Amino acid sequence: MSPRMGLDLQTILKAATELADEQGIDSVTLATLAKKLTIKPPSLYNHIDGLTGLKKKLALLGLEELYNLLANAAIGLSKDEAVHAVSMAYFSFARSHPGLYELTLSAPKPEETEIELAGKKIVDLTVQILSAYDLEEQEVIHAVRGLRSILHGFSSLEQKGAFGLPLDLDKSLYLLIESYIAGIHKMKDNKGEK
């Protein structure tokens, strides 16, 4: 079967991302995607390896987009400013691409080296930012885990509508990141007390 004119991988991924972000990742099936693209489902197989292959490509796309946002946010900044900028970029991505964001969270399988490398770039960027605080190597890893937990936890709770009180979420986020940064400074200050 020859590929449909005008249908390419970019078009398919854009449509699948829109479905995932608007209706949730579970709504992305080959049938719903084909309907959105006004094609027959078998036409998709010229570009993707089934639903599993599509979700792998979406996960990779999401990780690459997230990395680019984080890296751009950190340009020219260091320490506290970089942590705040990267945190806001992370939330911006999670808010604007909830479905795509969800796909970035799964740990890659051993054979998914592209996805693993894309995730590693985000971790490496975070390590680089937090290394500016002159922490020990293990402390940096703990700090990376802490920041990831804060960012994902807040994003996940917001997406699930768990913040019902009428308070500014961005202010809550700012204060949370400020508390995290205060903890990083405390870790650094306590280095000499070990």
Side-chain angles (χ1 to χ4, degrees):
M1 181 185 304
S2 62
R4 179 183 156 228
M5 265 320 226
L7 184 66
D8 59 16
L9 183 59
Q10 291 299 94
T11 303
I12 291 169
L13 292 178
K14 182 177 185 287
T17 297
E18 289 170 2
L19 274 173
D21 289 342
E22 293 166 7
Q23 301 173 24
I25 194 59
D26 291 336
S27 72
V28 179
T29 65
L30 296 183
T32 58
L33 182 57
K35 183 177 180 182
K36 182 172 180 66
L37 292 166
T38 62
I39 60 170
K40 295 195 183 306
S43 299
L44 293 168
Y45 286 96
N46 291 313
H47 305 280
I48 58 168
D49 185 19
L51 186 59
T52 301
L54 173 64
K55 288 189 176 181
K56 285 179 189 177
K57 290 195 179 301
L58 286 171
L60 183 60
L61 175 68
L63 288 166
E64 289 171 347
E65 283 190 23
L66 179 56
Y67 171 80
N68 289 334
L69 277 175
L70 300 179
N72 286 332
I75 291 174
L77 303 176
S78 68
K79 295 186 180 177
D80 300 2
E81 288 180 330
V83 172
H84 270 291
V86 164
S87 297
M88 292 312 296
Y90 186 100
F91 284 113
S92 174
F93 177 80
R95 286 172 174 166
S96 61
H97 292 294
L100 200 55
Y101 171 70
E102 187 178 334
L103 283 167
T104 67
L105 300 173
S106 299
K109 295 177 181 147
E111 69 274 8
E112 296 173 340
T113 54
E114 272 187 303
I115 294 173
E116 183 179 347
L117 290 173
K120 185 178 179 325
K121 280 176 61 176
I122 293 171
V123 172
D124 290 347
L125 175 65
T126 311
V127 166
Q128 182 182 352
I129 290 167
L130 294 172
S131 292
Y133 288 98
D134 196 31
L135 301 171
E136 305 274 333
E137 185 177 342
Q138 286 188 353
E139 290 173 326
V140 170
I141 299 304
H142 291 306
V144 168
R145 287 177 176 169
L147 185 58
R148 182 178 186 211
S149 298
I150 290 168
L151 297 177
H152 171 63
F154 197 96
S155 294
S156 179
L157 288 167
E158 182 181 21
Q159 285 180 356
K160 303 287 187 227
F163 296 127
L165 297 176
L167 287 173
D168 182 1
L169 284 176
D170 288 342
K171 177 71 173 176
S172 296
L173 172 59
Y174 177 83
L175 293 171
L176 181 59
I177 298 303
E178 278 290 292
S179 298
Y180 169 81
I181 289 170
I184 294 296
H185 286 288
K186 185 78 171 156
M187 282 172 66
K188 184 179 177 220
D189 293 343
N190 288 341
K191 273 175 66 170
E193 298 174 16
K194 291 181 185 177

